[in-house]
Amino acid sequence: MIGVYTLLNKKAKKRPSFEKTEEFKFFIDHRYILEKYPKFSFLYDSDDNEFNIMRANIVLRGLLNKEIIEDEIDNINSHMQSGVKVDHAKFVSTLREVTIDLPYLVDDKIRIYIPFFPRPLNYTYLKEPEKLLEYPYNELKSSFLETIIDPFDTYGTNLYNSLFTRLVNIGTNGKEVAFFHYDMNTIYIVNSQGRLDNKIVLFDKHIKHPSYSHMLERLTPVVKAYFSNCRAKFITELYANEFISHKLWVMLRGQNVSNEC
């Protein structure tokens, strides 16, 4: 099926450039931050790879979240009267008002705002913020390189099924998850390590008037066919759901595709 994906990409209908999306603009405006962290610096040169830009933006948004949360913890602390014990409930409640609009993912019922930190540390930031005022946690504000984990290995596909991206989950086979990006009209197949296994570009140049209605409903059988590993069924569903033209369907069917799977 490798030839199918290559042909879908080669014959893709001209579409708005990813460089015009908000995701790309966010990346360009903030990617300088990545140079400060060796573990993420490889994502700096992602200009020509939209999926890597999405990955970079997850890290960048996590870095910005960390700074916002830490600044608010310091701000709350500065308004506490000297010598007065911190009111835990009030501290957590006030912090929640700041984090409510920040991107996050839910992992094992825990909101992860800093995806390059492990779950327990994310819990501390939100549920035990007073600890961030004392050693050794207070040093995380300026020195945390040794605490960084690989967010993609740790949180896998959950990272993309979150407010960190604009991807939409449309199906899984238990090992991989298919995500759809409306701006790119592309399906991204992501594995459990949070890496891209494949991408399926929809709408070829022979389709004069692409239909964008009921996209998720139409994508479901396509993804189901993909995960069935049946090339013929996959091509049929692409055509039946108007994601490829009759001309491309004939071309793909002519590549010695068996009708049986």
Side-chain angles (χ1 to χ4, degrees):
M1 290 176 68
I2 295 177
V4 174
Y5 311 127
T6 301
L7 197 56
L8 289 173
N9 189 51
K10 183 179 179 181
K11 299 292 184 179
K13 192 176 189 67
K14 188 175 182 180
R15 62 201 66 207
S17 171
F18 187 74
E19 294 181 4
K20 294 182 179 180
T21 65
E22 288 299 317
E23 283 189 83
F24 187 82
K25 186 178 184 301
F26 179 86
F27 171 71
I28 293 300
D29 289 346
H30 297 90
R31 70 172 177 176
Y32 70 91
I33 302 173
L34 296 171
E35 294 185 301
K36 302 177 184 178
Y37 308 101
K39 289 186 179 180
F40 301 130
S41 59
F42 72 97
L43 291 169
Y44 182 91
D45 296 313
S46 298
D47 308 52
D48 61 344
N49 187 316
E50 75 270 13
F51 188 76
N52 274 347
I53 287 177
M54 294 178 208
R55 297 177 71 210
N57 284 349
I58 290 172
V59 174
L60 288 169
R61 289 188 172 102
L63 287 165
L64 293 176
N65 280 356
K66 177 179 178 293
E67 182 178 341
I68 290 170
I69 293 171
E70 290 170 343
D71 286 349
E72 183 59 21
I73 289 174
D74 287 343
N75 181 53
I76 295 172
N77 184 54
S78 69
H79 287 83
M80 296 290 182
Q81 294 183 11
S82 179
V84 176
K85 185 177 181 180
V86 174
D87 184 322
H88 172 73
K90 187 175 181 180
F91 206 141
V92 172
S93 177
T94 304
L95 186 60
R96 187 183 300 120
E97 293 177 9
V98 174
T99 60
I100 195 169
D101 293 324
L102 298 180
Y104 65 89
L105 71 95
V106 177
D107 184 82
D108 195 21
K109 297 182 180 181
I110 298 175
R111 287 193 178 189
I112 306 295
Y113 285 90
I114 309 173
F116 48 83
F117 275 0
R119 296 174 186 84
L121 198 49
N122 270 277
Y123 180 88
T124 298
Y125 265 72
L126 295 178
K127 302 298 184 180
E128 303 170 326
E130 309 96 303
K131 289 185 177 181
L132 274 296
L133 300 171
E134 303 174 354
Y135 183 84
Y137 294 99
N138 61 350
E139 297 203 343
L140 289 171
K141 186 170 184 177
S142 58
S143 179
F144 62 93
L145 294 183
E146 294 184 0
T147 310
I148 290 177
I149 60 171
D150 186 314
F152 307 102
D153 282 341
T154 304
Y155 300 109
T157 56
N158 280 348
L159 274 173
Y160 306 95
N161 191 30
S162 73
L163 296 177
F164 282 112
T165 76
R166 299 182 66 182
L167 295 170
V168 180
N169 184 331
I170 51 175
T172 181
N173 62 358
K175 296 179 180 179
E176 300 170 306
V177 178
F179 293 99
F180 179 63
H181 194 292
Y182 276 94
D183 291 336
M184 299 305 293
N185 284 316
T186 298
I187 300 171
Y188 299 92
I189 308 297
V190 183
N191 62 36
S192 58
Q193 286 75 47
R195 271 66 175 182
L196 183 68
D197 273 356
N198 207 350
K199 76 174 185 177
I200 305 164
V201 182
L202 306 175
F203 303 120
D204 63 82
K205 62 184 180 182
H206 301 295
I207 300 178
K208 292 183 178 181
H209 304 290
S211 171
Y212 301 110
S213 64
H214 306 290
M215 288 292 286
L216 299 184
E217 180 181 330
R218 291 158 56 205
L219 285 167
T220 298
V222 172
V223 169
K224 186 175 180 180
Y226 172 87
F227 284 136
S228 74
N229 292 315
C230 179
R231 187 176 188 272
K233 187 176 181 181
F234 174 67
I235 294 170
T236 297
E237 291 295 351
L238 282 172
Y239 180 59
N241 288 282
E242 303 178 58
F243 293 122
I244 60 173
S245 64
H246 182 266
K247 185 172 183 177
L248 184 56
W249 176 74
V250 171
M251 190 181 302
L252 291 169
R253 293 293 295 170
Q255 295 183 340
N256 298 317
V257 179
S258 171
N259 291 320
E260 301 297 329
C261 293

